[in-house]
Amino acid sequence: MKFKDMPYQRLEYDKVKQEFDKILAEFKAAKSGEQQFEVHKKKYQLFDDIMTTITLCEIRNSIDTTDPFYEDEKAYCDEIQPLIENMQHDYEKALEESKFRDYLEEKIGKVAFKNIEIGQKAFDEKLIPLMQEENTLVTEYNKLIASAKIEWDGETLNLSLLRKYLTNADREIRRKAYQKYSAFFEKNGAALDEIYDKLVKNRTSQAKLMGYDNFVELGYYRVNRNCYDANMVNTFRSQIKEYFVPLAEKVHERRRARLGVDQLSFIDRDVYFKNGNPEPTGTPEQIMEAGTTMYHELSEETKEFIDFMTENELFDVLGRKTKQAGGYMTFLPKYDAPFIFANFNGTCDDVNVITHECGHAFQGYLTAKDPIKEHLDLTMETAEIHSMSMEFFARPWLHLFFGERTEEFLEMQLEDAIVFIPYGCMVDEYQHIVYEHPELSPKERNAAWRKLEKTYMPHLRYEESPYLETGTYWQKQQHIYNDPFYYIDYCIAQICAFQYKVKMDEDYKKAWESYLSLCRASASDFFVNLIKDAGLENPFEDGCIKKLVEKLEGQLNK
């Protein structure tokens, strides 16, 4: 079914709850594991319908944040989602306490029951009012970011559409664009601080209600960390500081020399060549056509996937002034359909949509019809391997997008992935500081961010923006507001994607077969086991980062 034809009808919570209660009672009354599993299939269908309705609302609201109908519907969904989560909590408790647990565990897997255990630690009915308030605050932040109206040469741009000027070849244009960018955040800085302050206090209150010292433990449960903990993440970040930060600084020095400047400024932060970053050569329509060609040639599986996506109009990628900023892939379970949202802006980010977000969507398409729905409950570090690795698997076809500047893009792609790692770890450490010390004032939080920047990105200078110099750049990072503790997953996944980059340079076909196997495995096993089966090294183990840095340095030197 085409996306535009997918019907939306408000979830009537009372009716949904009535149907759920019936399923739960039937599950508890079942006389065997086989009977309980048959009831479990009914639960699958009910929650597929629920999540499809909520997801349709979220997509259509992000497509046009000014549409009053979906604005109201999003507010309603924000209100009932904690109630839906409470239903899920009650059902999982019944699963956990089932007399036939052994049979059910054999059917849906040990990972599912570990996730249920974590879910019980992450939620309680008493959290519902706070969760409703949290959802409202997150929506308020996203609306504020989407409301940006930047006047530029007779045009009115949002932050996503301003991006092409932030990476313009002309340094003076970049300076002007960043002045306008910074001015938006400075004008709204107090509101952004207030929203985040309320979110930190709200999430801390939720943690206290659950008996935790602070939000860190609850936050880890909420992102479903089922095979590693905060201590392991801290060790990972320490290895990044020791081995990856020096590598990233070498990349920044290469950039500085190429740009021909004495000192890199924040206005140069995303620019790699003096004549500007490589940009896709075609129109948005031509970019989509090139993506179709690429996936047709890459494999039979990707050919089938991209045809399904285009025929059912499961992309909304053109930049528009009233769209939510950023991009994402989400899933509509009732239709076994991924959906990709983005804001094309004429930069190389447009091609990253066709690689990164399509990596997520391809994996979702491959596994959509798995009868065991728990296998689809990916932890985020695994999900991001699918997307970040696809960026590298696409390299043989990138000439379709970048023409004569393809080699420059390939160089930039590798360098950009390298310099991301310290930034991503910094975002994660910042959140640990904030939630371990929820009493910090906005000024103190900003000071903590600026101190981290000097550790993870020592080259960075903000002389031209007093506002950003105080440590406010984090306000633009949506994950910090929307998805606490998610961001480190990108870093863990990027380390795995780098390993695929090394493997495909040695034997592309063998690397692709490993990747397909990892995609198909979905969440049927724990992350550490999945990557081991795929032939990848564990990013948490000593020596993995050091060894990878040596290989990446070799590739840079080529």
Side-chain angles (χ1 to χ4, degrees):
M1 183 182 290
K2 286 177 169 43
F3 176 75
K4 66 183 180 184
D5 297 327
M6 293 178 184
Y8 175 81
Q9 185 173 359
R10 174 179 280 206
L11 283 173
E12 295 296 338
Y13 173 73
D14 291 342
K15 291 181 181 178
V16 170
K17 182 68 164 61
Q18 191 175 16
E19 188 174 349
F20 169 77
D21 288 343
K22 182 179 175 183
I23 290 172
L24 183 60
E26 193 177 343
F27 181 88
K28 290 179 176 179
K31 304 299 184 185
S32 68
E34 289 85 352
Q35 285 184 13
Q36 280 194 331
F37 187 66
E38 289 305 310
V39 178
H40 191 59
K41 292 178 184 177
K42 295 181 182 179
K43 185 264 181 184
Y44 283 157
Q45 185 172 358
L46 174 62
F47 274 77
D48 279 358
D49 289 346
I50 291 170
M51 294 316 300
T52 298
T53 301
I54 291 174
T55 303
L56 276 171
C57 173
E58 289 174 341
I59 294 170
R60 288 174 177 160
N61 175 247
S62 59
I63 285 172
D64 183 358
T65 58
T66 64
D67 182 318
F69 176 79
Y70 282 108
E71 187 176 19
D72 289 346
E73 291 303 296
K74 179 67 167 61
Y76 174 72
C77 287
D78 285 347
E79 183 181 329
I80 68 166
Q81 272 182 284
L83 303 175
I84 302 296
E85 193 166 338
N86 189 46
M87 287 168 21
Q88 176 80 354
H89 177 79
D90 289 345
Y91 185 83
E92 288 179 348
K93 190 172 183 182
L95 268 174
E96 197 173 36
E97 295 172 352
S98 170
K99 293 182 292 184
F100 312 109
R101 175 170 169 161
D102 288 347
Y103 176 85
L104 294 171
E105 194 168 300
E106 186 179 325
K107 294 292 286 185
I108 68 176
K110 292 183 182 297
V111 176
F113 274 89
K114 179 64 177 178
N115 291 345
I116 288 169
E117 177 190 327
I118 289 172
Q120 297 298 302
K121 295 176 180 177
F123 180 83
D124 191 279
E125 189 172 3
K126 61 193 174 190
L127 298 183
I128 288 175
L130 284 169
M131 293 178 73
Q132 289 171 327
E133 179 188 55
E134 180 186 13
N135 287 342
T136 300
L137 288 167
V138 167
T139 298
E140 185 181 345
Y141 168 77
N142 288 325
K143 279 190 69 176
L144 179 55
I145 295 299
S147 73
K149 291 180 174 59
I150 312 293
E151 297 303 321
W152 188 276
D153 291 345
E155 282 188 278
T156 303
L157 309 177
N158 62 17
L159 294 178
S160 294
L161 295 174
L162 184 66
R163 171 79 177 165
K164 66 185 295 184
Y165 301 106
L166 297 173
T167 56
N168 194 277
D170 187 327
R171 205 163 189 246
E172 289 308 309
I173 290 178
R174 295 204 298 274
R175 179 175 283 109
K176 177 184 171 185
Y178 265 109
Q179 286 170 350
K180 290 179 176 289
Y181 183 87
S182 302
F184 169 80
F185 281 94
E186 185 167 6
K187 178 183 176 183
N188 294 283
L192 290 165
D193 275 336
E194 183 180 0
I195 292 169
Y196 193 55
D197 208 52
K198 288 179 180 177
L199 281 169
V200 171
K201 287 179 170 58
N202 175 292
R203 290 163 178 160
T204 300
S205 296
Q206 291 186 49
K208 297 285 188 183
L209 275 176
M210 294 294 283
Y212 304 126
D213 291 337
N214 55 52
F215 180 69
V216 174
E217 189 172 1
L218 177 58
Y220 268 55
Y221 289 143
R222 276 174 45 164
V223 290
N224 209 21
R225 298 270 152 78
N226 57 22
C227 62
Y228 58 93
D229 58 22
N231 289 330
M232 294 168 72
V233 170
N234 185 49
T235 300
F236 174 78
R237 291 198 310 260
S238 296
Q239 291 185 74
I240 296 303
K241 289 175 188 174
E242 183 174 359
Y243 300 112
F244 234 94
V245 168
L247 176 64
E249 288 304 298
K250 289 179 184 178
V251 170
H252 288 304
E253 175 55 25
R254 286 161 61 105
R255 285 200 310 117
R256 186 202 64 75
R258 281 202 300 259
L259 294 175
V261 297
D262 294 330
Q263 172 70 56
L264 286 173
S265 163
F266 78 103
I267 67 172
D268 308 309
R269 68 182 300 148
D270 295 318
V271 182
Y272 286 81
F273 298 95
K274 194 166 186 175
N275 60 335
N277 294 344
E279 295 180 351
T281 57
T283 63
E285 292 74 19
Q286 289 169 327
I287 290 171
M288 297 301 294
E289 288 171 14
T292 300
T293 299
M294 177 178 76
Y295 285 119
H296 276 197
E297 295 178 2
L298 176 51
S299 74
E300 280 302 312
E301 294 88 350
T302 53
K303 179 180 184 297
E304 184 182 302
F305 152 73
I306 198 65
D307 287 346
F308 175 83
M309 294 290 290
T310 52
E311 287 166 11
N312 290 290
E313 299 174 1
L314 295 166
F315 290 95
D316 190 300
V317 298
L318 298 181
R320 292 188 298 278
K321 294 171 186 175
T322 58
K323 286 180 77 170
Q324 180 179 306
Y328 60 78
M329 188 286 295
T330 189
F331 196 79
L332 297 154
K334 187 174 178 180
Y335 304 105
D336 296 330
F339 185 90
I340 291 177
F341 170 92
N343 283 271
F344 274 16
N345 54 23
T347 72
C348 59
D349 291 343
D350 299 353
V351 177
N352 291 338
V353 172
I354 303 302
T355 56
H356 183 100
E357 300 302 345
C358 279
H360 285 308
F362 173 63
Q363 192 278 333
Y365 176 78
L366 272 184
T367 57
K369 292 182 171 60
D370 189 325
I372 305 301
K373 298 292 186 180
E374 287 78 8
H375 289 173
L376 308 182
D377 293 334
L378 288 164
T379 46
M380 288 301 102
E381 77 291 309
T382 305
E384 295 301 340
I385 298 175
H386 306 143
S387 57
M388 291 177 155
S389 299
M390 185 63 88
E391 293 178 38
F392 290 137
F393 279 112
R395 284 167 77 88
W397 289 271
L398 292 179
H399 64 278
L400 297 174
F401 304 96
F402 294 102
E404 62 185 22
R405 298 198 69 188
T406 299
E407 289 302 319
E408 287 179 325
F409 177 79
L410 295 175
E411 185 174 7
M412 182 181 77
Q413 184 193 54
L414 180 60
E415 291 183 356
D416 192 54
I418 288 170
V419 301
F420 166 75
I421 296 283
Y423 175 77
C425 287
M426 179 174 69
V427 169
D428 183 70
E429 187 167 345
Y430 175 70
Q431 293 181 92
H432 275 268
I433 292 169
V434 166
Y435 288 111
E436 286 167 13
H437 302 281
E439 74 283 358
L440 292 178
S441 68
K443 187 175 180 180
E444 289 169 327
R445 286 198 293 263
N446 292 343
W449 174 267
R450 191 67 187 102
K451 185 177 178 181
L452 288 173
E453 284 184 320
K454 291 174 181 177
T455 299
Y456 283 101
M457 304 172 72
H459 69 281
L460 190 59
R461 298 290 183 274
Y462 284 120
E463 284 91 345
E464 299 174 58
S465 176
Y467 183 69
L468 295 180
E469 176 63 35
T470 63
T472 55
Y473 188 81
W474 64 271
Q475 291 177 331
K476 73 95 182 175
Q477 192 59 61
Q478 295 178 39
H479 301 74
I480 291 176
Y481 287 82
N482 297 354
D483 300 292
F485 297 114
Y486 177 175
Y487 216 66
I488 195 67
D489 297 271
Y490 289 118
C491 302
I492 296 165
Q494 186 68 72
I495 295 299
C496 295
F498 278 136
Q499 293 182 61
Y500 270 126
K501 168 72 171 65
V502 172
K503 284 178 179 293
M504 69 181 71
D505 287 346
E506 296 168 354
D507 187 332
Y508 187 96
K509 183 179 178 184
K510 188 175 179 181
W512 177 253
E513 288 170 355
S514 166
Y515 174 78
L516 269 183
S517 175
L518 179 69
C519 288
R520 288 189 170 118
S522 199
S524 60
D525 205 341
F526 296 102
F527 164 72
V528 292
N529 297 333
L530 289 170
I531 59 173
K532 182 179 179 182
D533 290 345
L536 303 176
E537 290 192 39
N538 187 333
F540 299 112
E541 290 182 358
D542 285 341
C544 173
I545 304 300
K546 183 180 179 183
K547 190 188 307 180
L548 181 60
V549 164
E550 289 169 356
K551 290 181 178 178
L552 291 174
E553 278 197 288
Q555 294 200 357
L556 283 173
N557 291 335
K558 288 179 181 178

